[in-house]
Amino acid sequence: MPAALLTDASRRLEQAAQYAPISADATERLKFPKASLKVAIPVRMDDGSLRVFEGYRVRYDDTRGPTKGGIRFHPQVTLDEVQSLAFWMTFKCAAVNLPFGGAKGGIALNPKTLSKFELERLSRGYIDAIASFIGPDLDIPAPDVYTNPMIMGWMMDQYSIIKGKRSPAVITGKPVSMGGSLGRSTATGTGAFYVLQTMMAKYGQSPEQMTVAVQGFGNAGSVIARQLFEAGYKVVAVSDSKGGIYSSKGLHIPDIQQFKRTHHTMQAVYCKDSVCNIVEHDNLTNEELLSLDVDILIPAALENQITAENAHSIQAKYIFEVANGPVTADADIILEKKGISLFPDILVNAGGVMVSHFEWVQNRSGLYWQLDEVHSQLSSRITREAETIWQIAQKHSISFRTAAYIHALSRLSTALDDRGTRDYYKS
């Protein structure tokens, strides 16, 4: 899987290079990460035993500024996967014009098997191991899969202890009380909602006309599901790692959020005497959700959910990638032939890194923004980039993914070439 991620990203880069010529120097620079780190993290468990976990951090490219990227806790984390995701982050930051390069980090484990005390020791141990590899002007981590504001707070605190001074700008996605930004915890879903609204307006579609299915009811998926519900869209299906629920009449997303917070599952969400209304519904698998006959499909779980094997069964008219890499390059070709409009992750889910940038700016200035300012800045900036990518796609009659990569590649190539190229030195 990890090797496939990087292969997919590279294929998309090659497609974009046909429309945004890139120098041989820039191509060579982007072939390899700037630095990769693999560490061992010993943790004393609650029962007194010692376990050693493998952790990783990759800084892929810092041409446009210090690197930026999340830290994930997941059993499938490998160095190859982290490198691929760092490559993606490089293009995501360029696509939305942030002064950052791409990075990523992770620890290979199932965090659900650890106590809160063990998670804290693990999080602090990870920072002990990578402290010299990160910094406010070098590499700024953030939350990702199965990490959250509290974990980011532990990590920032540990870095501050190591450096002997408070350093809030080293980590974003922290609790607000520790220097986090208002709106950061919902930024990925909120940014995706702004992109979706912008694109649906291009097609003349009103919310009341549209049905939606959301795969993944975590931080990002649940946020955009609720915002779509409140905007008048009919959200007919949602799922988490254990499965999903479907109702052609539409689901009441606030009730589902409340029920899941209490019961940690959605399979029995509509039941007598539960926190929500009695609504007829069907249980379904994540795979079944992907093939529902809906207008909008939102993969908001993990990568490689739509592949060449199941792309033919997709019936949605529009796909918005809230997860990182949920659609493979082979699946892209099939979906495009089916006439499905796909809006790529490096634009759609960029709200998280954009508000992380706002948090970093606030930490460095000491001036903190109100929530309406965060939302205003996020809306105007991500909408502007979405409009530009739309125009590129229309100009060249190409997919929105290729247009997004052209947009990012143009910025990256310029920054790389401004350091000097073969042609410059030959002349």
Side-chain angles (χ1 to χ4, degrees):
M1 179 188 69
L5 289 177
L6 191 55
T7 300
D8 277 2
S10 299
R11 286 172 59 182
R12 286 152 178 170
L13 179 59
E14 290 170 3
Q15 292 170 351
Q18 298 175 32
Y19 301 91
I22 180 171
S23 69
D25 293 54
T27 301
E28 189 68 16
R29 287 281 296 275
L30 290 171
K31 283 182 181 178
F32 308 100
K34 179 164 186 175
S36 300
L37 183 66
K38 178 180 179 180
V39 297
I41 310 160
V43 176
R44 183 67 62 186
M45 310 302 284
D46 291 344
D47 63 3
S49 64
L50 184 72
R51 286 184 61 186
V52 178
F53 298 89
E54 288 189 342
Y56 311 93
R57 187 70 187 175
V58 173
R59 302 198 309 260
Y60 202 94
D61 181 81
D62 61 359
T63 307
R64 290 171 47 83
T67 54
K68 190 84 184 72
I71 298 169
R72 60 175 52 185
F73 290 176
H74 195 274
Q76 297 177 0
V77 166
T78 64
L79 181 58
D80 284 343
E81 180 192 46
V82 172
Q83 177 177 306
S84 302
L85 293 168
F87 179 91
W88 251 320
M89 280 300 300
T90 300
F91 286 86
K92 183 186 298 184
C93 291
V96 293
N97 203 25
L98 297 180
F100 292 138
K104 209 71 176 185
I107 303 175
L109 83 154
N110 179 359
K112 297 177 182 180
T113 64
L114 271 63
S115 72
K116 293 177 181 177
F117 294 109
E118 291 166 342
L119 278 174
E120 180 177 4
R121 291 194 286 271
L122 174 70
S123 301
R124 291 180 181 274
Y126 178 66
I127 296 301
D128 287 341
I130 70 165
S132 62
F133 201 75
I134 62 174
D137 297 303
L138 179 63
D139 177 30
I140 306 106
D144 197 75
V145 176
Y146 291 134
T147 53
N148 59 27
M150 179 169 283
I151 291 173
M152 295 302 106
W154 291 333
M155 290 182 175
M156 186 277 286
D157 183 62
Q158 190 65 21
Y159 182 87
S160 299
I161 291 170
I162 293 168
K163 296 299 180 181
K165 61 179 181 180
R166 191 170 184 277
S167 305
V170 70
I171 301 270
T172 59
K174 305 177 297 293
V176 173
S177 63
M178 299 179 71
S181 175
L182 295 172
R184 173 59 185 87
S185 62
T186 59
T188 302
T190 300
F193 174 73
Y194 291 147
V195 173
L196 188 150
Q197 287 278 72
T198 300
M199 294 307 175
M200 288 300 95
K202 300 288 187 185
Y203 291 99
Q205 302 284 10
S206 63
E208 295 75 17
Q209 299 173 309
M210 311 298 285
T211 55
V212 184
V214 181
Q215 184 207 39
F217 205 69
N219 183 46
S222 64
V223 168
I224 190 171
R226 178 157 187 162
Q227 291 176 334
L228 290 170
F229 170 82
E230 292 174 347
Y233 292 83
K234 184 188 288 187
V235 183
V236 297
V238 294
S239 69
D240 60 13
S241 60
K242 298 177 182 177
I245 54 177
Y246 167 81
S247 173
S248 60
K249 299 178 182 178
L251 302 169
H252 193 274
I253 301 301
D255 284 351
I256 296 173
Q257 286 181 308
Q258 182 180 349
F259 189 92
K260 188 175 181 188
R261 279 193 294 268
T262 304
H263 299 277
H264 308 291
T265 182
M266 295 185 303
Q267 289 292 347
V269 66
Y270 289 121
C271 53
K272 188 176 182 180
D273 300 325
S274 77
V275 295
C276 34
N277 299 323
I278 299 172
V279 177
E280 292 182 4
H281 72 281
D282 297 317
N283 293 339
L284 76 172
T285 66
N286 276 283
E287 186 71 17
E288 290 169 338
L289 180 143
L290 293 173
S291 61
L292 287 174
D293 185 6
V294 292
D295 296 302
I296 299 172
L297 175 62
I298 299 177
L302 293 172
E303 55 267 6
N304 291 347
Q305 297 299 298
I306 300 177
T307 66
E309 284 69 40
N310 65 355
H312 292 285
S313 67
I314 304 300
Q315 301 184 69
K317 300 179 181 68
Y318 310 99
I319 297 176
F320 289 83
E321 292 184 323
V322 173
N324 286 314
V327 181
T328 66
D330 288 335
D332 268 352
I333 297 170
I334 297 169
L335 297 175
E336 191 169 355
K337 288 181 179 178
K338 286 169 65 72
I340 297 171
S341 297
L342 185 148
F343 300 93
D345 47 3
I346 65 170
L347 169 66
V348 176
N349 71 19
V353 71
M354 294 183 84
V355 178
S356 277
H357 173 238
F358 302 163
E359 182 176 329
W360 179 73
V361 168
Q362 293 170 75
N363 291 157
R364 293 174 72 90
S365 69
L367 299 173
Y368 288 83
W369 305 355
Q370 296 299 312
L371 184 60
D372 59 351
E373 183 174 0
V374 173
H375 285 165
S376 175
Q377 289 283 350
L378 174 59
S379 176
S380 64
R381 294 187 185 196
I382 202 166
T383 299
R384 181 172 64 243
E385 302 302 334
E387 291 279 1
T388 301
I389 290 168
W390 169 274
Q391 294 298 332
I392 293 171
Q394 301 310 304
K395 176 182 178 181
H396 297 290
S397 298
I398 54 176
S399 72
F400 295 106
R401 189 187 308 282
T402 300
Y405 272 88
I406 291 171
H407 193 38
L409 186 58
S410 298
R411 286 174 172 154
L412 274 170
S413 181
T414 299
L416 287 162
D417 290 350
D418 282 348
R419 285 158 168 75
T421 64
R422 177 176 180 270
D423 291 339
Y424 169 80
Y425 288 109
K426 281 183 65 179
S427 66

